[in-house]
Amino acid sequence: MPTPAGTNSERWVPNVSDTWQWQLRGTVNTSYAVKVYDIDLFDTPQTTIDSLKAQGRRAVCYFSAGSSEDWRPDFSQFTANDMGNGLDGWPGERWLDTRSANVRAIMKKRLDLAKSKGCDGVEPDNVDGYTNHPGFPLNAATQLDYNKFLAAEAHARGLAVALKNDVDQVTDLISHFDFAVNEQCFEYDECGAYTAFTSQGKPVFNAEYASVYRTPGGQASLCKTAKSANIRTLVLPLKLDDTYRFACDS
């Protein structure tokens, strides 16, 4: 019997050795010789995704799964009750009540969009709201439930799915996610948790922003540690706009 389209057996399986580029703002620079591009689900034109795939790249599509962003085209679908406190330093963003059936319905539509645009995987962001001050009684259990929901819905659509940050729950979620995207685990000495991924051949894509990593000495030290940990590490600007890039795997 033929395998139905979009089932798990057809899903892209990222490899621990895959190299990557992460750009969420501006016109995507498609010239980097990497395996994986992590790009914005809404803002990236279809022609860019098609071009990347024609080059043999894998497209991972970013969206926020734990916050509303008032500039997104589906923002009006969130209700007032869905949205809580603002995210510090990110104007226009508010934490979401991830227990909400409406929030989850919107995320399913976003995953449908990712599938329709030809994304190979997704990066749902802000999936650690319970560790912040979301304005809702979220806790570790509600976060695990939501993150497992996201992973299951991504897999149901034949999409690979990344665990974004949420370092404290890596052990509980490793079996549900295909790879990880992390910010600043070297700066904050949190990278050790990701051996759960790398030991299973699942890649960890890491970005660092600290100015020390723009110096030759800082980069040499960072890359020595990153390569020892088998973590694919980039030094990028916080805005992720391709105005600066240093890759330990170059």
Side-chain angles (χ1 to χ4, degrees):
M1 179 180 294
T3 303
T7 57
N8 290 1
S9 63
E10 295 183 346
R11 190 170 71 242
W12 166 53
V13 179
N15 189 281
V16 70
S17 64
D18 287 345
T19 53
W20 77 308
Q21 165 63 354
W22 196 16
Q23 184 180 346
L24 300 183
R25 298 189 184 187
T27 302
V28 175
N29 180 350
T30 61
S31 68
Y32 294 109
V34 297
K35 182 67 175 180
V36 179
Y37 265 79
D38 192 335
I39 51 182
D40 190 88
L41 170 63
F42 292 103
D43 294 344
T44 305
Q46 186 65 57
T47 53
T48 301
I49 294 175
D50 293 345
S51 175
L52 288 170
K53 298 193 72 170
Q55 297 174 46
R57 320 285 192 202
R58 295 293 187 171
V60 171
C61 294
Y62 167 98
F63 64 93
S64 181
S67 70
S68 63
E69 300 162 310
D70 63 10
W71 61 91
R72 297 302 190 183
D74 60 358
F75 173 73
S76 64
Q77 296 178 28
F78 294 110
T79 69
N81 290 336
D82 289 333
M83 298 181 286
N85 294 333
L87 276 67
D88 291 341
W90 298 97
E93 284 197 65
R94 293 170 63 187
W95 290 107
L96 291 171
D97 185 350
T98 52
R99 303 165 301 171
S100 161
N102 185 55
V103 167
R104 295 185 180 211
I106 293 168
M107 296 309 150
K108 288 181 181 180
K109 292 177 184 177
R110 291 183 174 186
L111 290 167
D112 288 340
L113 177 62
K115 182 67 176 177
S116 70
K117 293 186 77 167
C119 307
D120 298 288
V122 288
E123 182 210 334
D125 195 11
N126 295 309
V127 295
D128 54 1
Y130 82 103
T131 66
N132 293 275
H133 302 284
F136 304 106
L138 305 180
N139 55 38
T142 63
Q143 193 69 67
L144 284 173
D145 180 73
Y146 185 59
N147 292 358
K148 290 176 182 179
F149 155 80
L150 291 169
E153 291 295 334
H155 287 162
R157 291 160 175 78
L159 298 166
V161 60
L163 178 63
K164 176 67 172 291
N165 296 326
D166 196 19
V167 179
D168 292 342
Q169 296 187 322
V170 164
T171 302
D172 293 312
L173 292 170
I174 177 63
S175 63
H176 298 270
F177 287 81
D178 306 292
F179 61 110
V181 175
N182 171 272
E183 295 171 293
Q184 300 166 277
C185 72
F186 286 109
E187 180 179 352
Y188 294 116
D189 195 24
E190 296 176 336
C191 294
Y194 287 103
T195 57
F197 276 86
T198 57
S199 65
Q200 294 188 26
K202 296 180 178 184
V204 178
F205 298 136
N206 161 251
E208 299 290 336
Y209 307 126
S211 58
V212 66
Y213 298 136
R214 295 197 182 196
T215 67
Q219 289 172 348
S221 177
L222 172 67
C223 292
K224 180 179 179 181
T225 306
K227 289 179 180 179
S228 176
N230 208 11
I231 292 176
R232 311 276 75 81
T233 295
L234 303 175
V235 180
L236 299 172
L238 184 61
K239 292 184 177 181
L240 299 175
D241 57 4
D242 196 45
T243 54
Y244 180 87
R245 183 181 190 270
F246 173 81
C248 284
D249 293 303
S250 60

